[in-house]
Amino acid sequence: MKQKEGRLILKVLFVNRTFRNMLIASVASQLGTIIGNIAFAFYLLDRYINMPIYAILAELMYSLPTLVVFFIVGVVADRFDRKKIAENTGWIRAGLTLLLILFIYLNYLPVVFAILFIRSAVAKFFSPAEVSLLQGVLNKEEYLLATGLFQMIFGVFMLFGVSLGGIAYTFLGVIGALCLDVAGFIVSATLMRLSNIHIDIRLPNGRTRLQDIRLSMVIGDFKEGLLYILKNRLLLSIICGYFILGFFNGFFSVLPMLTMKYKLAPDDYKQFASLFAIFLGIGFLVGSMVISSFIKKVKPYRIIIIGLMISGVMVGALGTIQNVWTYLIIVFLAGTVFAPLNIAVGGWVQELIDKTFMGRVTAWVDPLMMLAHSAALSGVAFFYPKVIGLEYLYYSAGIALLLISLMYALTLPLLVREKEQSETSLPATG
């Protein structure tokens, strides 16, 4: 019965042409980003063999813009036409990528890095606008399933992203790979333009002219997003879940490679580090597909609590593993558990936020996740190997997840009951 209901909801989602366009636009946008980024990294490593700093600088150009524009992306998504924002980010990135191709051909790296920075900054505006639009084109009961579909796409890119970039670079070169980027951005922008979205969804707060925007307004809207989160204790608790996701991403962006290099497979660490991404990606896909069939029957907070508890046990267990294949199997299982956790957090947040505040609230997510990501990396860099060994890093992370699971077990059910009681009391007071 659960599977039948899941298939029916899935059918409803794909009958929704606007949602289908936005889903494909998101895929094209991600594809247009990841292929060029990976291919450009390979290009730098090949062309400047003795200058790995260039590849590191390129990575910084992808991440640093978050710290520059995070305070304004939500304001833009709430004050301006969300459809035009999502569409225009595609056109602008396509144009910037053409400029990138030109300056790579001219071998003028300072401008190349500047364009990478600007292109990444523009990309930051796409997600808040898209998420805010999705809230309007989907019914409330469809949020979690839609989040599951996007999570599955994320799993696919996690699984095949590096391979796609490598194949494009091998057969087409960096210029050809970046041309695929341009095509992806054009497809994304075109589909957003063709999407029929009501003006009330695109402009829930009315029209705002660019000349009406003042620094005080930007700061005020940013504060309003923070106050909106702080006033809703349940939403605040769930937003903190993004910190956990960021910590997980940062932790596993470096520790598996160190584990392969210095513990499990010193001679073949590159191959097994790649296998780690594949096993984790497959786990995310499996977990996303499984949870989509019954997620509406399970309270999100239960998925979060149980998911954190099981993840904590598995992460801690990774520190005890001495066999590389056993390690990869547990990574796969951890991925199947963490995917539902990710879906529950993302889908529940959309249910809790009023559509007029979606952009300002979600604008806090990226910097929060980046802060956690940086904290995890800093922790690994500070403690390993001088203070503690690899196994104790896993133990520490596992214990942290278990403690957070306990904290949520003690707080989330109570907060959910308070919210339900307040909602049921509203008609009586009206």
Side-chain angles (χ1 to χ4, degrees):
M1 184 65 182
K2 294 177 182 178
Q3 292 181 347
K4 182 179 180 181
E5 182 183 6
R7 286 195 297 269
L8 287 174
I9 298 177
L10 189 63
K11 181 179 179 181
V12 170
L13 284 173
F14 279 98
V15 167
N16 186 332
R17 182 181 178 183
T18 300
F19 172 78
R20 185 172 66 250
N21 283 352
M22 293 178 66
L23 182 66
I24 298 173
S26 179
V27 172
S29 178
Q30 290 187 55
L31 198 63
T33 299
I34 196 168
I35 289 179
N37 288 355
I38 297 297
F40 186 62
F42 286 138
Y43 166 77
L44 291 174
L45 291 173
D46 282 348
R47 185 174 178 86
Y48 304 97
I49 298 175
N50 298 319
M51 297 291 291
I53 186 64
Y54 287 158
I56 297 172
L57 282 174
E59 288 298 322
L60 286 173
M61 294 304 102
Y62 305 141
S63 58
L64 285 179
T66 301
L67 298 178
V68 178
V69 301
F70 77 92
F71 69 97
I72 196 173
V73 292
V75 177
V76 172
D78 282 344
R79 294 284 184 178
F80 295 98
D81 190 323
R82 292 166 172 174
K83 177 185 172 182
K84 288 185 177 179
I85 293 168
E87 176 191 339
N88 288 333
T89 57
W91 298 125
I92 295 171
R93 281 185 288 170
L96 288 171
T97 305
L98 290 174
L99 284 176
L100 186 64
I101 291 171
L102 172 63
F103 283 99
I104 288 175
Y105 179 77
L106 296 175
N107 195 30
Y108 200 68
L109 284 183
V111 177
V112 167
F113 286 126
I115 294 173
L116 286 175
F117 183 93
I118 297 171
R119 193 179 80 153
S120 181
V122 172
K124 304 302 178 185
F125 290 86
F126 179 82
S127 182
E130 180 194 44
V131 170
S132 301
L133 289 172
L134 282 173
Q135 192 186 38
V137 301
L138 295 176
N139 295 324
K140 196 169 185 178
E141 61 271 14
E142 296 172 341
Y143 289 162
L144 285 176
L145 185 57
T147 304
L149 289 172
F150 279 91
Q151 177 66 59
M152 289 172 64
I153 293 169
F154 171 76
V156 170
F157 281 105
M158 179 186 293
L159 184 59
F160 299 114
V162 176
S163 298
L164 289 173
I167 291 170
Y169 176 68
T170 300
F171 291 98
L172 302 176
V174 66
I175 302 299
L178 287 170
C179 286
L180 292 180
D181 276 16
V182 174
F185 295 140
I186 290 175
V187 169
S188 177
T190 302
L191 287 172
M192 289 305 306
R193 169 167 288 192
L194 295 176
S195 298
N196 185 20
I197 303 174
H198 196 273
I199 192 66
D200 291 339
I201 299 172
R202 295 161 56 179
L203 289 164
N205 297 299
R207 293 188 180 275
T208 301
R209 296 179 303 173
L210 185 61
Q211 55 265 38
D212 293 333
I213 296 295
R214 300 288 185 270
L215 180 61
S216 58
M217 177 187 293
V218 173
I219 296 174
D221 279 3
F222 196 60
K223 287 182 178 179
E224 285 183 6
L226 178 60
L227 291 174
Y228 186 90
I229 295 171
L230 295 177
K231 289 178 180 179
N232 188 329
R233 291 197 299 159
L234 178 57
L235 177 60
L236 175 61
S237 297
I238 304 307
I239 290 289
C240 289
Y242 280 106
F243 187 88
I244 301 168
L245 298 178
F247 178 84
F248 180 88
N249 292 337
F251 186 77
F252 278 99
S253 68
V254 64
L255 203 55
M257 184 176 296
L258 296 176
T259 303
M260 298 301 176
K261 174 66 175 177
Y262 298 108
K263 182 179 179 181
L264 298 180
D267 296 329
D268 302 301
Y269 78 96
K270 292 181 180 178
Q271 293 90 324
F272 281 104
S274 299
L275 284 174
F276 166 85
I278 292 175
F279 273 69
L280 184 63
I282 294 174
F284 263 79
L285 283 175
V286 172
S288 300
M289 289 186 289
V290 170
I291 197 65
S292 296
S293 63
F294 64 87
I295 193 168
K296 294 305 297 181
K297 298 294 185 180
V298 182
K299 295 288 187 180
Y301 73 85
R302 291 178 179 168
I303 297 174
I304 293 172
I305 293 170
I306 296 173
L308 284 171
M309 186 179 299
I310 298 175
S311 296
V313 172
M314 288 184 173
V315 170
L318 288 174
T320 68
I321 302 302
Q322 301 297 324
N323 179 273
V324 66
W325 293 108
T326 305
Y327 179 93
L328 292 174
I329 290 172
I330 294 180
V331 165
F332 162 76
L333 295 174
T336 64
V337 173
F338 212 79
L341 172 62
N342 204 19
I343 292 170
V345 172
W348 202 9
V349 163
Q350 291 191 50
E351 291 185 11
L352 296 175
I353 302 174
D354 184 89
K355 64 180 181 180
T356 59
F357 277 87
M358 178 61 76
R360 280 166 283 185
V361 172
T362 55
W364 283 89
V365 171
D366 272 354
L368 187 64
M369 292 187 71
M370 173 167 281
L371 177 63
H373 190 281
S374 301
L377 290 175
S378 300
V380 173
F382 181 79
F383 290 107
Y384 178 79
K386 295 181 179 179
V387 180
I388 59 177
L390 284 170
E391 62 273 15
Y392 290 101
L393 289 173
Y394 284 104
Y395 299 157
S396 300
I399 291 172
L401 290 174
L402 288 173
L403 290 176
I404 295 169
S405 173
L406 177 61
M407 179 194 72
Y408 273 159
L410 295 174
T411 58
L412 285 184
L414 177 62
L415 293 173
V416 169
R417 284 196 295 270
E418 289 179 355
K419 179 177 182 294
E420 291 174 346
Q421 290 172 1
S422 66
E423 288 177 346
T424 55
S425 67
L426 286 178
T429 60

